[in-house]
Amino acid sequence: MSKDLEVRQHNALTNARYEYSELQLDLLFFLISKLRKDQQDRVYELNIKDLSSLTGKKYNAAYLHKATADMGSRVFEVQTETRYRQLWMFQRVDYLLGQGIIEIKLTEDITPYLFDLKENFTSYELASALRLTSKYAKRIYQYCSQWKDQGESKKYDIQEFKMMLGLLDDKGKDKAIRMSDFRESVLDVAVKQINEHTELHISYKLEKRVRTYKNIVFTIKRQALAETIPFDLVTTVQDVPGVQQSHFDNAARILDELRITDPKHRATILASAAHVAEVNRYNHDLKTGKVKASRNPGGLLLVRLGLVAAKAPKPA
């Protein structure tokens, strides 16, 4: 069964300055997906077999030990209008020997940034984040997810953006000092991976001031995913067993786009796990050209779901 596990994360943490490797970002995304508001002790178990099934990678214990040790020592730098804050994520990390389990206890101060979702959050899919292999693609995917409902990101100062990616340190040492290197090794790689492997399609524009590139802006559009990474971690809608929240929300959005407004039809579709799955499948087929329905795509969907009868062909 293919599932997309949604990850939600406070924007202050998304925009924090930190430098993680590809492995460390995967561990971070996997950890965030495990967070539950009703788990007050802030202790979470990461099953490495589950992570491996998501990414298709095998994990060496020594590399994992080093990865979490470095994550624990690195700081999240969070800038708000009133303060600059340094945060550490882990209070402790335990490896349960012979079980393939990492037990992580979060620090008390980091949890508000992970759980405060009421007003200011970023939503992105774990499967998409994990299938990206460039650490810069993973970070840029986070930033673009933050702006996907607006269609365009804010205007980032390029130097500040490099610092957010860990390419530029406080002493001015730049890992991609030439713009051509920045474009080819970071931006173009990230755009290609994000467009091929996630639900977002992005592009970027560099803006000059006099003769120097000053700002970068991303254009973000949603696109149909050709496939997802299969795994057994499921977040379901309480009233519809077997339906994941992100799939339910996406199906409701598709019904809006197709102008299916009849209350009875909508209630019937959204109350059925099979119907919700078919709506999402139909949307993908429609956007990839597998289904041709230029005149009435909403009507064709209702026919496929068996909610209305197909019109008989006109006699010759």
Side-chain angles (χ1 to χ4, degrees):
M1 181 179 295
S2 293
K3 302 289 181 184
D4 288 333
L5 184 60
E6 191 177 64
V7 181
R8 295 184 184 274
Q9 166 180 346
H10 195 289
N11 277 342
L13 186 55
T14 299
N15 296 324
R17 289 170 49 196
Y18 61 93
E19 184 179 1
Y20 277 1
S21 67
E22 177 192 344
L23 171 56
Q24 289 167 334
L25 286 170
D26 284 346
L27 289 170
L28 175 62
F29 295 151
F30 196 38
L31 172 61
I32 291 172
S33 75
K34 295 281 190 177
L35 299 177
R36 299 292 180 268
K37 284 188 174 181
D38 58 356
Q39 193 164 340
Q40 300 299 321
D41 59 2
R42 304 187 306 277
V43 178
Y44 296 90
E45 289 188 353
L46 305 186
N47 188 313
I48 299 306
K49 288 184 178 179
D50 287 344
L51 178 59
S52 184
S53 69
L54 286 170
T55 63
K57 303 172 187 174
K58 293 184 178 180
Y59 295 98
N60 177 280
Y63 285 115
L64 287 169
H65 294 171
K66 187 176 188 310
T68 53
D70 289 345
M71 290 172 75
S73 64
R74 290 179 183 174
V75 63
F76 283 84
E77 299 175 277
V78 179
Q79 182 81 45
T80 68
E81 293 182 359
T82 58
R83 68 179 61 200
Y84 162 78
R85 173 172 287 181
Q86 294 179 333
L87 296 168
W88 286 263
M89 180 166 284
F90 301 152
Q91 184 170 328
R92 64 172 171 81
V93 178
D94 289 326
Y95 284 79
L96 307 187
L97 300 180
Q99 299 182 48
I101 300 288
I102 305 176
E103 187 179 84
I104 292 176
K105 184 168 185 178
L106 298 171
T107 61
E108 182 178 356
D109 289 334
I110 199 72
T111 53
Y113 294 93
L114 298 173
F115 288 105
D116 181 9
L117 311 176
K118 292 181 180 179
E119 295 181 358
N120 190 20
F121 65 86
T122 296
S123 172
Y124 56 94
E125 292 176 335
L126 176 62
S128 294
L130 290 174
R131 64 164 60 92
L132 302 172
T133 58
S134 162
K135 67 178 182 179
Y136 302 121
K138 292 176 185 289
R139 292 304 306 275
I140 290 173
Y141 176 62
Q142 287 180 276
Y143 303 143
C144 289
S145 294
Q146 182 179 341
W147 300 97
K148 64 185 177 184
D149 293 327
Q150 283 72 40
E152 185 175 276
S153 74
K154 75 172 188 178
K155 191 175 293 188
Y156 292 99
D157 177 90
I158 288 178
Q159 296 303 101
E160 291 181 2
F161 192 69
K162 284 185 174 183
M163 293 186 76
M164 291 164 63
L165 291 175
L167 287 165
L168 182 66
D169 63 23
D170 292 332
K171 297 179 180 179
K173 185 178 180 181
D174 194 338
K175 296 180 181 178
I177 191 168
R178 295 190 305 175
M179 183 54 64
S180 59
D181 292 337
F182 183 49
R183 296 185 67 161
E184 293 173 10
S185 302
V186 178
L187 297 176
D188 292 346
V189 171
V191 167
K192 185 175 186 296
Q193 289 193 11
I194 290 169
N195 291 347
E196 287 182 354
H197 300 299
T198 80
E199 84 288 3
L200 301 184
H201 187 281
I202 72 168
S203 59
Y204 67 88
K205 179 173 64 175
L206 298 171
E207 298 180 351
K208 277 187 175 181
R209 182 176 297 175
V210 190
R211 295 183 178 181
T212 304
Y213 286 105
K214 178 63 178 175
N215 300 310
I216 182 170
V217 179
F218 292 92
T219 299
I220 306 111
K221 298 179 181 178
R222 297 176 186 267
Q223 65 177 353
L225 272 174
E227 59 182 352
T228 58
I229 296 178
F231 57 101
D232 298 326
L233 303 173
V234 182
T235 301
T236 60
V237 182
Q238 184 175 0
D239 296 333
V240 190
V243 177
Q244 195 175 338
Q245 186 68 57
S246 60
H247 288 183
F248 180 90
D249 293 342
N250 196 51
R253 178 181 61 81
I254 293 166
L255 295 182
D256 291 338
E257 292 177 353
L258 297 177
R259 298 181 181 179
I260 297 176
T261 58
D262 182 272
K264 290 184 178 179
H265 284 156
R266 292 180 67 94
T268 300
I269 293 169
L270 296 176
S272 165
H275 283 347
V276 168
E278 180 59 26
V279 169
N280 284 284
R281 187 180 303 112
Y282 174 79
N283 184 58
H284 173 262
D285 291 346
L286 195 63
K287 291 188 175 182
T288 55
K290 293 182 180 179
V291 169
K292 304 294 183 183
S294 57
R295 290 186 177 181
N296 187 8
L300 178 58
L301 174 60
L302 293 176
V303 170
R304 285 179 58 153
L305 293 173
L307 299 180
V308 299
K311 292 183 178 181
K314 294 181 179 180

